Structures are given as structure tokens and as C-alpha cells.
Amino acid sequence: MRDPYKVLGVKRDAGADEIKAAWRNLAKAVHPDHNVGDPTATERFAEIGRAYETLKDPQKRSRYDQVARMAEATGQSKEQTIMQQRQAAREAAERAKAARANAEKIMEELARATAQKAQKAAAAANPQAAGSESPEDMVERIFGAKAARAAPNQSETAAGAAETEKQREPTNGEAEETFAEEEQLATGTGPAAFRSRFGILGSLVRRITGGTQDKVPEKAPEIAAEATVTLEDMLKGNWITVPLSDGREARFQATTDITNGQVVHLKGQGLKLQGMQRGDVAITIHLSADSRFTLNGLDVHTTLPVTIENAVLGYETMVEGLNGPVKLTVPPWSGSDQVIRISDQGLPDGHGGKGNLVVELRLMLWEKPDDKVTDLMRSMREGLFL
């Protein structure tokens, strides 16, 4: 794979937003549907997708940067490093081929043991047959001492993984994992060596049962999009239509549990490229501001202006809720920013329950000054009596 930074045209210290913007612009420009006459459009589009997959993931990006620094420190180019990875994959493939040949021999011996068992059953009265090796003994010999002697060679097969990896070019991140497994296989320790010892048994089981393992095709790159959802959309369960960068549209249903900044993944609605699984669509949700309410989980918040006399004496009033006016009692001596909760007037939780309507009081003065109230406040502050 080429340098993903060069493919996307960004610097090595580029931020996530800059990398995402570069990928979206390039993907839209080189999309196969927009370049019907260009036979290389699909390949270039896939290359851009692979570069973005490497750089958007902090772990993959870190591994790539480490391999790049190692290549520079040893005086090698990244292309030379990739060639070494290919050579290692070819060598692993040769070892896997040798292991399969060994498995063929073991199958032949098992077949001969089965034939001998059939002959013994047919000629049970022949005492000379009693000294022949039983199938159980044959299996013990094959998988016992002989398998122990052959363990170093079998360990190098890496469970046939190289047969799959040789079909594609390894990435720099995968190269590190390959080097670690090679070290484990060489020392005969670690998970890789453990898997390789039982790889031959898995091969025998597949041969006997006729099972095969198909290679799963690579998935097409994910399409990123954004959508704005209103409170009304959430309450009514409206379907939201989202335009995509390739000219198509995706749809999803708004629900009451959607949160601001949430990413909704639509499986199988993304790019469809030849030889690859259809990709997904990742939609970032932006909740539209509502002048009447604000949301906090399932709770719906609103404010209620209260005059001085109503705050002191208390009163009953109506406040607007999600489903219409709701009766509210303001207790006497209620201060500003005091909260009154009305249960079961919030957003539904999907299990039959609802959140609360949270009313925050705001103490308001009259529009015009009142002399009596002014004198009363002054007397209370200065200790005078009218």
C-alpha cells in the first residue's frame, strides 16, 4: 500500500478532521459512478478508502508511523519494507505447502490403518492378524512421537494463514503482527506456536468432514454523513432522509433515545464495489434547538416566568408540555431557579415509562416600577417602618 498520507494529500501531523475532510473530497471526486470512462477509478477509490481506514484509526495510524520510522532509521524505504513483508509471506506460504503435504501422508496412513481394521474384522479367527498394528495404535504413533519430532516444522506453518495473506499485500500494521508471530513460531512458545500445533488437526478434520473455509471479501469503505433531527421528529418517529457523498440517499427512523453527537450506523447501505462487501453509512446526529424545551436524557426542561406576588403567595397555572398544556402548582415563597418536576411528561423510554417535565422558575419584576413595592423593599433593607 502506498503512503496513506500521500494518497490523501495531508501532512503527517494532520488532525482527524483534516484527514476526514480530505477523504470525503477525494472520494467524491474519484467515485466510479462519476468517472464511468476511467477504468482505474475503482482502484483509486479503493486505495483512498484503505488510506482513510489506516489514518482514521489511532492504533492503525500509530503502527504505520512506527514502521515508517523504523524504515527510515535503517535506511530502507517503505517500499523495501513492503517487499520484505511480501517475501516473508511467500516463505510462510511455502512452509504451509510443506505442512499440507505432510498432512496428505498422514491421511494415507490413516486410510491404511482403516483398511487393516476391516481386514481384521473379516478374518477375526486368524491369530496372525492379532499382531498387526491397530488403528488406535497407528493414530497414537502418528500424533505422538512422530508429531513431536515434526513439531518444529509444523509450527512454522502458522496454521495455513500465509495461504490467505499471500493473496493480498500486507499493510505495515499487519507486518508487525507477522514479525511477532514468526518469533513465537521460531521459539515454539506463545499463541502462534500453540495454534500451529493444532493446525494440522484442523486440516484433517476438514478433509474428513469435507468442510471448507471460504475467504471473506474485504468490506467497502464506510461513508460518513450528518443529519439534523428535531424534537418533533423524535416524538413522531419520522423517517430522516440523508444525502450521501456519492449522490444517493440513506434513511433512518428517529427515536426518542437519540442523543446529540450520536453516530448511527446503517449496515449495508454504503458503497457497493466489485469484489467487496457492501459498506456501511455512519451518520452523525445533530439535535435541532427548540425554543420551548431542552433535553437531558428522557427529561424535558422548560422555564416559567413568575412575578413577585405569585412567588410569595403561590398560585396555580398551566405550563406547555410535549403533548399540550399541563397543570402546575407553584408553592408559596418559591425562589428563582427553583425546580418543579412533573412525572411521566417527558420522553418515552421504549418500555412503557416516561421521563419528567422539569419546570425551572424565573423570578420576574413588573414591567413598570411600583412605588409601594419600592418603599416596602427599602424599608426592609434599611430597617425603616412606614
Side-chain angles (χ1 to χ4, degrees):
M1 183 181 76
R2 290 200 301 134
D3 188 338
Y5 294 101
K6 293 182 179 180
V7 172
L8 296 181
V10 296
K11 297 181 179 179
R12 292 191 176 275
D13 58 351
D17 293 338
E18 183 179 352
I19 291 173
K20 181 178 179 180
W23 167 75
R24 293 184 66 179
N25 292 335
L26 289 174
K28 187 175 182 179
V30 304
H31 194 277
D33 292 345
H34 301 161
N35 299 270
V36 180
D38 187 356
T40 65
T42 300
E43 181 179 354
R44 287 188 295 145
F45 185 80
E47 182 182 43
I48 292 171
R50 288 194 296 267
Y52 179 61
E53 288 293 329
T54 300
L55 298 185
K56 78 172 184 178
D57 188 326
Q59 294 183 353
K60 291 182 180 180
R61 183 178 180 180
S62 177
R63 287 198 296 266
Y64 176 84
D65 292 340
Q66 289 178 359
V67 173
R69 286 193 295 268
M70 291 172 57
E72 293 174 359
T74 56
Q76 296 177 333
S77 66
K78 289 185 285 294
E79 287 75 13
Q80 289 175 321
T81 304
I82 293 175
M83 291 299 295
Q84 292 177 353
Q85 296 169 3
R86 290 178 176 176
Q87 179 63 25
R90 285 194 290 269
E91 292 175 358
E94 291 296 331
R95 291 193 293 270
K97 183 177 180 181
R100 287 196 301 274
N102 191 22
E104 295 284 350
K105 295 179 181 179
I106 294 175
M107 290 297 298
E108 292 176 359
E109 293 196 37
L110 286 174
R112 284 196 295 270
T114 303
Q116 290 178 4
K117 184 176 181 180
Q119 292 175 359
K120 288 176 63 178
N126 187 357
Q128 296 180 353
S132 61
E133 188 179 33
S134 67
E136 291 77 7
D137 295 335
M138 177 70 72
V139 172
E140 176 62 25
R141 178 175 63 81
I142 293 174
F143 293 104
K146 183 175 180 180
R149 292 194 303 271
N153 293 331
Q154 295 174 1
S155 299
E156 295 177 351
T157 64
E163 182 67 14
T164 301
E165 292 298 323
K166 74 176 183 177
Q167 301 296 333
R168 62 182 179 88
E169 177 182 318
T171 65
N172 292 309
E174 292 168 343
E176 291 185 357
E177 298 176 1
T178 302
F179 298 153
E181 290 194 359
E182 288 292 333
E183 183 177 358
Q184 294 175 6
L185 294 171
T187 59
T189 60
F194 179 81
R195 291 194 301 268
S196 65
R197 291 192 180 98
F198 291 93
I200 190 67
L201 295 177
S203 177
L204 290 175
V205 172
R206 288 192 296 271
R207 287 290 302 274
I208 295 172
T209 61
T212 60
Q213 184 176 1
D214 298 331
K215 180 180 177 181
V216 179
E218 185 179 357
K219 201 167 189 177
E222 191 176 62
I223 295 180
E226 297 180 351
T228 300
V229 179
T230 65
L231 181 59
E232 183 179 2
D233 292 331
M234 298 170 60
L235 295 174
K236 294 183 178 180
N238 293 338
W239 284 87
I240 310 300
T241 301
V242 184
L244 303 180
S245 58
D246 59 357
R248 296 183 301 109
E249 292 182 343
R251 299 177 73 240
F252 70 95
Q253 189 174 19
T255 57
T256 56
D257 58 352
I258 289 179
T259 58
N260 192 43
Q262 177 182 348
V263 178
V264 176
H265 293 273
L266 305 181
K267 301 295 184 181
Q269 295 192 32
L271 297 174
K272 184 178 182 181
L273 302 178
Q274 185 176 4
M276 303 178 71
Q277 292 188 63
R278 187 155 193 166
D280 303 332
V281 176
I283 303 176
T284 302
I285 303 298
H286 300 288
L287 294 183
S288 176
D290 192 296
S291 59
R292 302 169 300 166
F293 308 106
T294 58
L295 303 179
N296 183 10
L298 297 177
D299 291 341
V300 178
H301 290 243
T302 187
T303 60
L304 175 65
V306 180
T307 60
I308 294 177
E309 69 273 19
N310 287 332
V312 172
L313 302 176
Y315 76 117
E316 291 185 353
T317 184
M318 303 296 291
V319 63
E320 185 176 6
L322 294 179
N323 301 314
V326 179
K327 186 177 181 179
L328 174 70
T329 299
V330 177
W333 289 99
S334 295
S336 188
D337 295 331
Q338 182 173 336
V339 172
I340 301 175
R341 295 179 178 272
I342 305 177
S343 60
D344 296 331
Q345 292 294 327
L347 295 176
D349 60 5
H351 303 286
K354 290 185 178 181
N356 301 322
L357 176 62
V358 181
V359 182
E360 300 177 7
L361 304 183
R362 294 288 184 269
L363 192 59
M364 305 293 292
L365 294 177
W366 296 306
E367 294 182 1
K368 296 181 180 180
D370 186 276
D371 293 337
K372 292 182 179 180
V373 173
T374 302
D375 292 339
L376 176 62
M377 295 298 105
R378 182 181 296 111
S379 65
M380 294 179 64
R381 184 182 67 181
E382 299 177 359
L384 300 177
F385 296 95
L386 297 178

